């Protein structure tokens, strides 16, 4: 599981290769996110080349599902969506899982509920497998970010960010970010 460089973001990224621990942690999250998109939203997706993101220039994209990690690796995992992508995924999950086919054009309570269900499922499936791997990393239950100031608080003590884009066919993309409080060695 190697990470390359995205051409359109060269100004703020460095090419990285994941070390063994980072790979063991991120791979299940990426796989479960892609699998859950198919199951809950009927959407096909692939992961793109990842990169090391700049902590100083990291910006809120509109909606995020987050989970804190502690133990051998401290930080935060984010499923970080652009608002348009969040709405499209939320509407699809809302229709397929919750049975509401009404199209929503902003993050309403129903869209938020659908995105929370999607995020809880993807992150829950990945953390269950990682708990069984006994890496000495604890994952707290997911929480949701809708405001810029909430993300800014998450960046406190972050030393390194690894980002992997998820490309959703006919929808757009979002990022899976690992905000690390310790610099990891490759």
């Amino acid at each position: 599981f190697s990470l390359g460089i995205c051409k359109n973001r060269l100004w703020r990224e460095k090419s990285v290769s994941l070390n063994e621990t980072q790979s063991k942690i991120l791979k299940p999250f990426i796989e479960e996110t892609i699998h859950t998109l198919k199951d809950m939203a009927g959407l096909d997706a692939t992961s793109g080349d990842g990169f090391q993101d700049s902590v100083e220039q990291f910006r809120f994209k509109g909606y995020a599902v987050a989970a804190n990690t502690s133990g051998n690796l401290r930080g935060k995992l984010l499923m970080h969506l652009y608002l348009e992508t969040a709405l499209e995924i939320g509407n699809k999950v809302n229709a397929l899982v919750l049975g509401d086919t009404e199209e929503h054009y902003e993050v309403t309570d129903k869209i938020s509920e659908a995105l929370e269900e999607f995020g809880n499922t993807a992150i829950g499936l990945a953390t269950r497998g990682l708990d069984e791997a006994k890496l000495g990393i604890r994952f707290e239950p997911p929480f949701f970010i809708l405001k810029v100031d909430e993300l800014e608080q998450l960046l406190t003590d972050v030393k390194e960010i690894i980002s992997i884009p998820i490309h959703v066919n006919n929808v757009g993309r979002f990022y899976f970010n690992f905000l690390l409080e310790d610099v990891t060695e490759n």
Side-chain angles (χ1 to χ4, degrees):
F1 194 52
S2 67
L3 299 176
I5 215 166
C6 291
K7 292 179 185 171
N8 64 343
R9 295 172 53 128
L10 283 173
W11 59 273
R12 66 182 195 142
E13 305 160 0
K14 293 189 265 182
S15 177
V16 296
S17 292
L18 294 181
N19 66 34
E20 186 176 336
T21 301
Q22 291 169 332
S23 292
K24 283 182 182 178
I25 294 168
L26 288 173
K27 188 174 181 183
F29 284 100
I30 301 305
E31 289 173 350
E32 291 298 346
T33 297
I34 290 170
H35 181 76
T36 303
L37 274 168
K38 181 68 171 173
D39 286 351
M40 294 182 74
L43 296 170
D44 293 316
T46 58
S47 62
D49 292 336
F51 52 90
Q52 186 167 346
D53 225 328
S54 167
V55 176
E56 296 79 25
Q57 295 178 353
F58 192 75
R59 297 290 178 258
F60 185 58
K61 294 173 180 50
Y63 185 88
V65 181
N68 289 319
T69 65
S70 59
N72 288 338
L73 203 52
R74 296 176 301 126
K76 295 121 185 126
L77 290 161
L78 294 180
M79 186 185 301
H80 199 178
L81 293 87
Y82 293 101
L83 187 56
E84 298 81 18
T85 308
L87 285 170
E88 186 68 27
I89 292 169
N91 277 311
K92 296 284 188 187
V93 171
N94 203 27
L96 285 174
V97 176
L98 304 175
D100 177 11
T101 57
E102 180 184 349
E103 187 79 12
H104 299 272
Y105 300 98
E106 58 185 43
V107 179
T108 63
D109 289 342
K110 288 185 177 193
I111 292 298
S112 186
E113 179 183 338
L115 290 168
E116 288 173 13
E117 187 68 26
F118 164 68
N120 276 330
T121 301
I123 290 175
L125 290 169
T127 57
R128 186 176 320 135
L130 288 167
D131 285 344
E132 293 169 5
K134 301 194 185 305
L135 297 175
I137 302 168
R138 288 177 299 283
F139 298 90
E140 295 178 16
F143 58 96
F144 306 92
I145 302 168
L146 293 170
K147 298 177 184 169
V148 172
D149 59 335
E150 292 173 351
L151 183 64
E152 289 173 3
Q153 294 170 2
L154 287 183
L155 291 173
T156 303
D157 298 326
V158 170
K159 306 281 189 275
E160 182 178 65
I161 299 175
I162 297 171
S163 297
I164 300 171
I166 304 294
H167 302 278
V168 185
N169 294 355
N170 302 315
V171 172
R173 72 174 184 257
F174 64 91
Y175 292 90
F176 212 97
N177 309 115
F178 196 5
L179 285 61
L180 297 158
E181 293 177 10
D182 301 305
V183 175
T184 57
E185 296 180 21
N186 291 326

